[in-house]
Each structure stands twice: as C-alpha cells, then as structure tokens.
Amino acid sequence: DSLLQEKLEGKSWNYICDQNMTNLSVAVIGAGAAGLCAARHLSAHPRVRATVYEQSSSVGGTWVFTDNIGKDQNGLPVHSSMYKNLRTNLPKEVMAFPDFPFPENKETSFIHHSEVLEYLETYKKHFSVDKLIKFNTMVSKVNPVVSEENTKWEVTTKCLKTKEVETNIFDSVMVCNGHYSVPVIPKIPGIEKFSGTFIHSHDYRIPEAYQGDSVLILGGGASGTDICIELSQQAAQVYLAHNNPLLTTRLPTNVAQVRGVQSCIGPGAFLLTDGSKVQCNAVILATGYEYTFPFLSESCQIRVENRRVQALYKHLVSVEHPSMCFVGIPLQVCPFPQFDLQIRYFVKLITGQVKLPTKAEMYADSEQEMEWKKNNLQMPEKYFHKMGALQWKYNKEIAELGDIKPISNGVENLYNAVHERRKTNLPDYKKDSYSLVGEESFSGNVFVHEKGTYRKI
C-alpha cells in the first residue's frame, strides 16, 4: 500500500481516467441545475456514459417549491429553501446557461422561482437528458477503489420506492447535491428563554404568517435582505441584525438595521453586540447553509472544516482523487454560467483533452489562494469559497484551463451594475428590466423611486 501511495504521490496526474477505455462511466449526484448541466455536457461526448441519481421525483433541486417543511414524503429532510413569492435576485439575462437563453420577456428580468424551474425543465427536454436520470434514488455511499492503474468508484444507491439497494462501479463521480438545504444554526446564549416563533429561513414560506409581528432577522446576506423587504409589508416592525458594514440602501420605514445578536435576555428580548436591546416575538435565522456530503466514505478524503471543502483544486476537483469533482461550491456567484464552465472543464479532464498539474502543485495552488485572501482581503478561512467580485477572475481561469469560450463581458458588466443598484435600492431593484447588447454591453429600464417612473440606461 505504501509503495502504491508513493507511486501515486509522485505521479503527474495528467490523465485522470484511463484513456484506453472505449467507454467512460460517470455518476452524477443530483438533478438540480448543476446535475442537469453535467448530464447535458457528458451526454454530448461520444465516449461517455452518464447516470444521474436524483432522490426526489423531479428535476430542479433547490428550485422546486414545496409548502412542506421538516420531512418530505420519503421521510428525508425537505431539500428546498424556496419560499412562495421568491423572485431571483439576479436578472435572468445573466442567469442563463451560455448555450440556452431564458425565454424573451421584456417586462421583467427578476423572475419568479417557478419560471426558473420551467427553464430547467425545458433545458432537460431540449438536451434529451431525461433518459439518464434515475428518480427517487438516493446515493447512500460513494467509495473509491484505488489500484496502481487507476481509481474506480463504488456508488451505492437505494430506490426510495422499492427500497432496493444496489452498488455500481463508475470511472468518475460528479457531486452536484447543492448547498442550500442544511441550515447553519448559530448558538445563541439564553435562547431557551425566548417564547416566540424561531425558524431558519430554510423553513420560511409566506409573509402572511408574520402579520403584525415584530420580527428579528439574523443575517444581512441575500436571504436576510430579501425576506426583510417582503416581511415589511406584513410585519409591524422588522429588525435586520448583522455584523457587516451597514447597508447603504433605502429601506422601508418599518425596517431597522441593528448589530448582531449577543444573547437572548428574556421571552421577547435580545441583547445586541453594541449593548442595545430589541423586543420581538419572531426570529428568522438567515445564517446560511452547511456544505454536506453524507454519502462520501472516509476514503474519499474530502473534509469540510470551517465551511471550507478540502482538498479541492480550483474549488472543483478532488486533489486526492481527481476523477471526482464538486460542482457549484463557490458562493455569491452567477451560478448557472459558472456551473457550465466548471463542468465543461471537468469533462475535458476526464476525457483527456486537458491535463491536471501534479498533486503537489494543486495543493500549493489552494494554499496560495487562501494566503492571498487572508493577507490582501483580510478574509477569514470560512469565506474561502465566497467569491463576489472575485468570480470573474476565477471564471476566466477555468475557461483558460479548459480552453473554453469565457463568459461574455456583457454578463459580467450587467451583474456588476445590478450589484451596485441593489446596494442603494433594495426595495425597488427587482422592478428593473435589462437586455444584453452584443458580447460587451447591456441596456435597461430602471425604476426611479422618487418619481415613480422608469429611466432608460
């Protein structure tokens, strides 16, 4: 074993699957946006045979809305965090997969979640990937089988209808299980004293449930700010508690930004980090989600520490077993176009069209990135996968490594313009509509709150 390990350690990974095989079998875990995109690009390759495992009965992953919270019909935790009125916080013009635009709709750019699901259904049909998907099938274990020649993957699944368990062998595994389903629940000292309603945004569904309430939302990210605007129409008072720099946006009159929570000090009272106090009868945690891969055996050598998935090359490829990848790990990105780039790069890797660096070089690359983020951006390790403005450099790197056409500058420019707009006008930015103009530019109509009219840009 140690001799084999030494050989593997010193090897330049170059080709990560046996290039003499006529057929390459790939297991895809999950049929959300990332899994469907993986199926689309794998099936386009003549040498590749893909199988997509989806534990629910439909495609779409997090975009499948359900009123239910807690457990689903199979007794598994409800996967989706979608709420009834959610509209995208990115314009559809930047959300689309590069080879499949959203249907034309000049009226609105920020669409209802049901339209995103419809888009994914249409994508699935257009690229004929239905036949590759095994529905109601849960992946219970993934285990690498390492020999001197290569690594194969044992994938054990359970049909949730028949309870039948089977194990199949694959050459490669693409993990596309999403990371918006297992909530991060912070420990709040004294929370047992609180007598009001207390949920994570994962279980938030409708604003009417909070009519006349005083609501404390913990977290100033996308979910916290979105829910805060929606709740302001029903709740008497909304407190948006976070430790980020204060938002510079106009806010509804019944929304107040406050500092983060230090402790619960009574049935309806919280002490904040700046010493002030708030009274409320409902709490919503918008504190994010965990990365979880409960089906990976220890031999997969993937660990999640401090919200960082390790060890991955370029937030994607397993360094120890590079015929496995994890699509969609980065946060605060334009997701579908990035999935598309990651997947096309990985398909080129497993089919031998591009090569990987050595294991030592891949480890060094990740450590250099972490050090640079710590030193130059003062970014703590738990934000390693958080990209925001850094996503464009990352996307260009992936495109270059895979010799793939990069995402157009127009998408980047529009994304950045909307980001700036949201900073100053959270309540109204979803009223705007945009169009991409060529590869570089965009045009649009933005809502002017003071005048109640639209301005062309």
Side-chain angles (χ1 to χ4, degrees), residues 29-42:
I29 301 172
L36 290 174
C37 184
R40 175 259 179 279
H41 288 295
L42 291 166

Side-chain angles (χ1 to χ4, degrees), residues 361-410:
E361 287 167 337
M362 290 192 282
Y363 271 119
D365 182 85
S366 290
E367 283 320 299
Q368 279 161 14
E369 182 183 349
M370 187 65 249
E371 285 307 304
W372 183 83
K373 284 178 173 175
K374 268 185 192 165
N375 298 333
N376 294 43
L377 306 176
Q378 283 69 55
M379 189 182 268
E381 188 178 18
K382 69 174 181 176
Y383 296 143
F384 180 66
H385 298 303
K386 198 186 221 179
M387 291 203 173
L390 301 173
Q391 68 183 297
W392 309 110
K393 178 176 176 287
Y394 171 82
N395 291 342
K396 287 181 175 80
E397 267 179 33
I398 297 294
E400 199 173 317
L401 287 168
D403 193 20
I404 301 160
K405 185 185 176 193
I407 295 167
S408 80
N409 288 336

Side-chain angles (χ1 to χ4, degrees), residues 335-371:
F336 298 3
Q338 190 177 87
F339 297 168
D340 190 81
L341 278 178
Q342 289 182 322
I343 286 159
R344 284 190 291 157
Y345 171 50
F346 187 72
V347 171
K348 282 193 167 186
L349 282 172
I350 60 174
T351 53
Q353 293 166 271
V354 295
K355 299 178 183 182
L356 271 180
T358 64
K359 189 192 281 196
E361 287 167 337
M362 290 192 282
Y363 271 119
D365 182 85
S366 290
E367 283 320 299
Q368 279 161 14
E369 182 183 349
M370 187 65 249
E371 285 307 304

Side-chain angles (χ1 to χ4, degrees), residues 241-253:
H242 62 90
N243 292 316
N244 307 332
L246 289 177
L247 302 173
T248 51
T249 177
R250 185 178 68 77
L251 288 168
T253 52

Side-chain angles (χ1 to χ4, degrees), residues 194 196-199 210 213-217 270 280-284:
F194 185 61
T197 59
F198 184 88
I199 64 163
Y210 294 88
D213 286 349
S214 179
V215 186
L216 176 63
I217 298 175
F270 287 84
C280 65
N281 63 337
V283 171
I284 299 175

Side-chain angles (χ1 to χ4, degrees), residues 16-17 24-28 42 151-153 155 169-174 322-325 346 350:
I16 60 179
C17 289
L24 206 57
S25 58
V26 183
V28 179
L42 291 166
T151 297
K152 299 277 187 184
W153 296 93
V155 177
I169 304 292
F170 291 91
D171 299 304
S172 174
V173 173
M174 299 181 74
S323 52
M324 170 184 267
C325 79
F346 187 72
I350 60 174

